[in-house]
Amino acid sequence: MEADSLAYIFLNAAIINNFVLALFLGICPFLGVSGKLQTAFSMGLATAFVMLISSLSAWFINALLVLLDLEFLRLIAYIAIIASAVQLVEMTMKKFSPALYRALGIFLPLITTNCAILGLALFQTFNEYNLSQSLIYSLGAGGGFILAILLMAGLREKLELSDVPSISRGAAMSLMLAGILSLAFMGFAGLGGAN
Amino acid sequence: MALKPGEKPITADTFLRGLWRENPVFVMLLGMCPVLAVTNSVINALAMGLATTFVLLCSSVMVSLLRRHIPKEVRIAAYIVIIATFVTVVDYLIQAISLEIYHALGAFIQLIVANCMILGRAESYASRHRLSKTLINSLGMGAGFTIALLCLGSVRELLGAGSLLGIPIFGPSFEPWVIMLLPPGGFFVLGAWLLLFAWIKERQMQRKTQPNPVQAGA
């Protein structure tokens, strides 16, 4: 596959270089909100949505900053965009689905400090993607995030009732699970071909 | 140490709680992304730890100084902008000091902005305490974060490359565990450290609940 073809960019972001399991981005919600399948799915959707919005806005802002020769403001501009996008999602969710809003709790405003979203904006700038490539990249990253958090939540629900040593309950167990998942995702590295 | 006799509220605990009881990584599980991503060698871990500590220190001081002037409604946005400013400074600073480390850390320097530990400190501590106390507390938290990164970095470099700070430890016959340098290794090593701490804590608890073996037997 061509390195800059849209299909490759999508697969690369979603599976080969999965944002959570290969690039270590967005670990906080990945560990924090993956206790239940339903909540995990909502969190994944909210994050993917914020990714889409912020990636598109970041592309336009970056074009503007390059035009004005103000690239050193990029980081501040990006984080401001992301914070506003999160605020937007929060208001929408509060209005249309208060139950979901309560279930996500503190993790909703914390999407702002989800490094997967800022990372997405930064990577698409580094890779000099054009608008359509950025769009596909953000869709792939969002899909990859949903996939990872769903897998994790499924595993943790299964393990909920099993008899593990008391010291490995909680975070330690989640990290070991994440390690095994990450090991499995390494198998996809070959998909990238000679690239 | 800033343990002046006239100032009561600042105790050694203000500094020390960041190291152990409220360690940002091992206890509070904050700022996990850089912890896992850049700890494949000791030198990267150290650079990341120091950079994060610098940003934490500067932004906490700034937030603490401005705490009466920032309106409550826009405080998060204000904190984020303050943090982003200092991260931009660090980004250029590291680029000037060592281009090699800059490339090794990659996007994770700019991603310090999204480190929830820093925002968490600004929100829960710096905005409520005066300057001197905030300074000591942030120093402790930064040190705790750096130590945690070093804990991971040393294990991963030792097993993954057979060396420490680039110096070979095990000799040429050692077969490196490459998996330790790859993403799964990060998860496994951090999980193992958490297991260790959980085990220590459980033993402490057991000792506390059974102070006297004779009593426990009866």
Side-chain angles (χ1 to χ4, degrees):
Chain A
M1 270 187 280
E2 298 273 327
D4 53 354
S5 74
L6 294 183
Y8 178 79
I9 289 176
F10 183 81
L11 272 183
N12 182 38
I15 293 180
I16 304 168
N17 279 318
N18 186 287
F19 266 53
V20 179
L21 296 168
L23 298 181
F24 294 124
L25 296 169
I27 302 283
C28 294
F30 176 67
L31 293 178
V33 203
S34 58
K36 266 202 186 130
L37 210 51
Q38 190 56 45
T39 339
F41 185 60
S42 323
M43 184 65 190
L45 273 186
T47 307
F49 182 65
V50 176
M51 274 180 172
L52 189 66
I53 295 182
S54 52
S55 153
L56 287 182
S57 336
W59 190 86
F60 283 109
I61 283 283
N62 186 46
L64 186 70
L65 289 181
V66 170
L67 201 71
L68 297 174
D69 209 14
L70 285 173
E71 279 113 327
F72 61 91
L73 285 179
R74 191 183 282 148
L75 192 60
I76 300 176
Y78 281 3
I79 198 77
I81 289 176
I82 293 171
S84 338
V86 170
Q87 197 76 50
L88 194 73
V89 170
E90 204 179 331
M91 286 185 324
T92 324
M93 206 176 259
K94 202 173 180 178
K95 188 153 166 45
F96 290 107
S97 171
L100 191 59
Y101 176 78
R102 273 194 299 275
L104 290 177
I106 179 69
F107 283 97
L108 199 55
L110 278 183
I111 296 181
T112 313
T113 53
N114 183 338
C115 34
I117 295 168
L118 185 61
L120 175 76
L122 290 174
F123 286 148
Q124 78 181 26
T125 316
F126 287 150
N127 293 341
E128 292 173 359
Y129 284 151
N130 61 30
L131 187 56
S132 59
Q133 283 171 327
S134 298
L135 183 69
I136 296 296
Y137 191 55
S138 70
L139 284 176
F145 185 80
I146 295 180
L147 180 68
I149 202 168
L150 276 185
L151 284 173
M152 186 69 177
L155 284 174
R156 280 180 65 175
E157 270 194 353
K158 283 262 183 273
L159 275 171
E160 186 81 349
L161 295 173
S162 52
D163 186 23
V164 294
S166 61
I167 54 162
S168 68
R169 269 179 213 287
M173 173 65 99
S174 314
L175 279 162
M176 290 296 176
L177 279 178
I180 296 169
L181 271 182
S182 167
L183 209 55
F185 267 71
M186 269 177 61
F188 292 117
L191 269 181
N195 190 263
Chain B
M1 300 290 288
L3 209 80
K4 291 175 208 154
E7 283 184 68
K8 247 187 193 168
I10 300 180
T11 58
D13 184 59
T14 315
F15 177 76
L16 286 178
R17 72 163 72 168
L19 291 186
W20 176 254
R21 202 157 42 83
E22 287 180 15
N23 186 297
V25 177
F26 292 135
V27 180
M28 290 158 62
L29 297 177
L30 290 176
M32 302 301 270
C33 308
V35 170
L36 291 163
V38 301
T39 52
N40 45 18
S41 78
V42 176
I43 195 79
N44 287 354
L46 187 65
M48 189 68 198
L50 291 181
T52 310
T53 307
F54 176 79
V55 175
L56 177 64
L57 214 57
C58 295
S59 56
S60 312
V61 165
M62 201 74 166
V63 168
S64 179
L65 283 176
L66 293 174
R67 69 185 186 278
R68 292 187 215 292
H69 306 288
I70 297 177
K72 203 170 175 299
E73 294 78 26
V74 295
R75 65 184 194 288
I76 299 288
Y79 299 159
I80 283 275
V81 170
I82 291 174
I83 295 169
T85 313
F86 286 112
V87 172
T88 311
V89 172
V90 164
D91 188 52
Y92 283 102
L93 211 60
I94 294 184
Q95 217 168 342
I97 295 171
S98 163
L99 215 53
E100 198 185 333
I101 291 182
Y102 182 77
H103 288 305
L105 296 182
F108 278 94
I109 300 172
Q110 303 204 340
L111 285 175
I112 295 177
V113 178
N115 188 326
C116 24
M117 176 189 74
I118 299 180
L119 190 65
R121 278 294 98 187
E123 164 80 5
S124 69
Y125 204 93
S127 59
R128 288 176 200 163
H129 292 84
R130 64 204 156 75
L131 184 61
S132 50
K133 222 175 161 186
T134 303
L135 198 67
I136 302 294
N137 182 269
S138 311
L139 262 180
M141 282 287 165
F145 188 74
T146 310
I147 290 172
L149 281 172
L150 285 177
C151 281
L152 259 90
S154 48
V155 171
R156 286 180 74 185
E157 191 180 340
L158 201 62
L159 295 178
S163 63
L164 215 52
L165 282 168
I167 306 161
I169 299 284
F170 291 136
S173 60
F174 177 73
E175 184 66 41
W177 307 8
V178 181
I179 193 81
M180 283 297 161
L181 298 181
L182 296 172
F187 286 117
F188 286 136
V189 174
L190 184 58
W193 276 108
L194 288 179
L195 276 181
L196 180 70
F197 287 128
W199 181 68
I200 293 174
K201 239 177 232 164
E202 201 179 61
R203 291 198 37 163
Q204 275 178 345
M205 287 287 270
Q206 273 174 358
R207 238 174 254 157
K208 244 179 233 169
T209 48
Q210 318 173 337
N212 192 337
V214 180
Q215 229 172 11

